Amino acid sequence: QAFFCLLLCVPWGSSCPPSCQCTERAGAKAVLCSSRHLEEIPKDIPKDAVFLKLDANSITRIPSNAFRHLSHLEELDLSRNAIEKIDRAAFKGVAAGLRTLDLSSNRIRRVPKEALLALNAKLRLANNPWHCECALQEVLWEARLDPDSVQDITCHTAPREEYVGKPLLQVLDAGVNFCSVRQRTTDVAMFITMFGWFAMVIVYVVCYVRHNREDTCRHVDYLKSLPSTQGHAE
């Protein structure tokens, strides 16, 4: 039994990233890279990793396909980093199997909704400087958020000053709909664009009619200036 326990606790050796520790938990392989001063996601994470802890580092971005080769991944901890940007395809390849994703305590202001809505994982998004907008609202309504952390998703910035500092859930419960605000803005922009095109058409028609009228007048004046046929006959 001691020998078996030793096998479970010993790191995997060359297959493990040098900045991480690799062990097994209940038969599932875990890669532990917490507090290792990492500035990006390691490239050589074992393909059969089930648990991956990258918390308490200095990672600033999750690029596209960052975990695509980790088809067995179930739990991913990216909390307490400096993440500001998440690409649309950041979690491509792990969306189906991932059960838990922790993005709390980062520097995330915006996130492409496609990156999170494709996941079946329970999400932790608390303690980020969120900009409250339609995309975040859709994530709140449609994604599987950890219920214990929903109240900590706070509006750091927002379209109106009165929403700043308030939990997003509280703002939405008060009847605010950031998506309808965006829709109204889009409608106004479309109206202005259509009005501009309509004005251009009117100006073109007016100029065309005026130009033709001037040509007609010049032509009539020219005909009047010609000697009459009757005068020649006499």
Side-chain angles (χ1 to χ4, degrees):
Q1 290 181 346
F3 178 74
F4 181 70
C5 180
L6 182 63
L7 287 178
L8 293 180
C9 298
V10 169
W12 301 343
S14 60
S15 63
C16 187
S19 56
C20 304
Q21 178 185 5
C22 300
T23 62
E24 289 197 15
R25 296 178 177 178
K29 296 184 177 180
V31 181
L32 311 178
C33 310
S34 305
S35 304
R36 300 301 175 107
H37 306 289
L38 299 175
E39 296 183 356
E40 61 181 18
I41 298 166
K43 305 293 185 183
D44 49 355
I45 298 172
K47 294 182 179 180
D48 52 354
V50 176
F51 306 100
L52 176 57
K53 288 184 66 65
L54 290 163
D55 56 303
N57 283 292
S58 302
I59 299 170
T60 58
R61 178 190 174 196
I62 308 177
S64 296
N65 302 310
F67 309 100
R68 188 172 186 175
H69 66 293
L70 305 178
S71 57
H72 299 281
L73 194 62
E74 295 182 4
E75 295 187 15
L76 175 58
D77 188 354
L78 287 160
S79 64
R80 296 184 296 151
N81 274 278
I83 297 170
E84 296 181 353
K85 181 175 176 56
I86 299 176
D87 291 355
R88 292 179 182 274
F91 305 107
K92 187 174 182 179
V94 298
L98 202 62
R99 294 190 291 108
T100 301
L101 172 60
D102 194 343
L103 291 168
S104 60
S105 301
N106 277 282
R107 299 176 184 173
I108 307 170
R109 296 188 69 248
R110 289 182 169 91
V111 61
K113 64 180 182 180
E114 297 84 358
L116 300 182
L117 294 184
L119 299 173
N120 293 319
K122 182 182 292 185
L123 303 176
R124 298 190 182 100
L125 304 176
N127 301 317
N128 281 284
W130 289 108
H131 175 69
C132 288
E133 58 182 348
C134 182
L136 182 59
Q137 175 180 318
E138 291 179 342
V139 169
L140 185 67
W141 289 146
E142 301 178 35
R144 291 185 58 224
L145 298 181
D146 180 6
D148 295 332
S149 65
V150 171
Q151 286 292 343
D152 293 324
I153 301 176
T154 303
C155 297
H156 185 75
T157 57
R160 297 178 60 174
E161 187 67 25
E162 61 189 275
Y163 307 144
V164 175
K166 294 182 178 180
L168 176 59
L169 189 60
Q170 177 183 334
V171 173
L172 297 178
D173 284 344
V176 177
N177 189 335
F178 293 107
C179 295
S180 66
V181 170
R182 184 184 69 174
Q183 183 62 44
R184 287 198 298 271
T185 303
T186 303
D187 291 345
V188 170
M190 290 181 62
F191 175 77
I192 293 173
T193 302
M194 292 177 64
F195 179 80
W197 279 107
F198 181 73
M200 289 175 62
V201 171
I202 294 298
V203 171
Y204 174 79
V205 170
V206 169
C207 292
Y208 179 79
V209 170
R210 180 176 296 176
H211 178 74
N212 284 350
R213 180 179 298 173
E214 291 174 354
D215 286 346
T216 302
C217 291
R218 283 195 296 268
H219 184 66
V220 170
D221 291 341
Y222 172 74
L223 292 177
K224 289 180 178 180
S225 67
L226 294 176
S228 64
T229 306
Q230 184 178 358
H232 284 294
E234 291 177 354

